[in-house]
Amino acid sequence: MFDDVVNDLEDQGLVEVSEGALVVWLEGTKARDGESRQPLLVRKSDGGYMYATTDLAALTQRLRPKSAEGEGAARLLYVTDAGQAGHFQQVFEVGRRAGLVPKEGAKLEHVAFGLVQGEDGKKFATRSGETAKLKDLLDEACKIAKQGMLDRAQEAEKGGIDEAAIEEAAKVVGIGAVK
């Protein structure tokens, strides 16, 4: 499937060779140096594929009609940390330019939820496979929020705690903290 995506990009004249790698130059964006155009790397010089290629292949499969052995999706949501926003903006741009995204009906959205950090305060690395599930993060945040509220309520009132109100507030605070 990756070869098909790259071949399709080449057939459309969207791909150029840059330092032995295959890239699609993004329109209207500058690289970090502020001078040169920004590339989206789709195949490394050693023939390896990038996350962008994987995402373009997945996008193709998900949006392709069921009659063409696709999934026929009308909307794709990518839920990742905010640090991936630029990556998905680039992938969506190339997908649209290449005609992988139907002009009408299909929506591509990146839903950023912030940065997930481990107990050591460092960003989770998904490549290591040691990330937590979002549900587990939300449950833990709610648990911590609830305990903090209970502690404060007991200090302030020395009892008389409305457990249901604290439970509801803990959900709001805990989930809000993760966002």
Side-chain angles (χ1 to χ4, degrees):
M1 181 126 210
F2 300 144
D3 283 333
D4 294 339
V5 168
V6 173
N7 291 339
D8 188 34
L9 294 171
E10 287 179 305
D11 291 347
Q12 294 184 55
L14 295 174
V15 173
E16 291 183 25
V17 177
S18 176
E19 299 180 25
L22 296 181
V23 302
V24 176
W25 294 104
L26 301 169
E27 296 180 352
T29 60
K30 299 281 185 191
R32 288 185 180 153
D33 63 14
E35 300 296 322
S36 60
R37 298 179 297 167
Q38 187 172 7
L40 180 68
L41 193 61
V42 292
R43 189 168 66 207
K44 299 188 298 186
S45 59
D46 67 4
Y49 293 103
M50 307 299 294
Y51 281 125
T53 318
T54 303
D55 289 332
L56 287 166
L59 181 146
T60 301
Q61 174 63 28
R62 291 172 181 146
L63 293 176
R64 184 179 291 149
K66 289 183 179 183
S67 61
E69 298 183 21
E71 297 173 25
R75 183 179 184 199
L76 300 181
L77 298 175
Y78 291 82
V79 182
T80 67
D81 73 67
Q84 299 300 310
H87 167 78
F88 285 107
Q89 181 181 14
Q90 294 170 352
V91 168
F92 296 166
E93 177 190 326
V94 171
R96 287 184 184 101
R97 283 177 49 202
L100 304 175
V101 181
K103 293 199 185 316
E104 293 182 23
K107 289 181 79 174
L108 305 176
E109 297 177 52
H110 176 242
V111 180
F113 59 79
L115 178 65
V116 179
Q117 298 173 322
E119 290 182 20
D120 60 0
K122 294 181 181 176
K123 179 181 171 184
F124 269 132
T126 57
R127 292 179 194 173
S128 70
E130 297 178 13
T131 57
K133 291 182 171 33
L134 181 57
K135 180 188 181 324
D136 295 338
L137 290 172
L138 294 172
D139 288 347
E140 182 66 16
C142 292
K143 178 180 158 188
I144 291 168
K146 179 180 178 181
Q147 188 56 54
M149 296 173 112
L150 286 170
D151 292 346
R152 286 183 184 88
Q154 286 177 346
E155 285 178 22
E157 298 180 17
K158 301 290 183 207
I161 301 167
D162 181 358
E163 195 70 36
I166 287 181
E167 191 69 40
E168 184 59 32
K171 269 187 181 176
V172 171
V173 171
I175 292 171
V178 172
K179 289 183 180 180

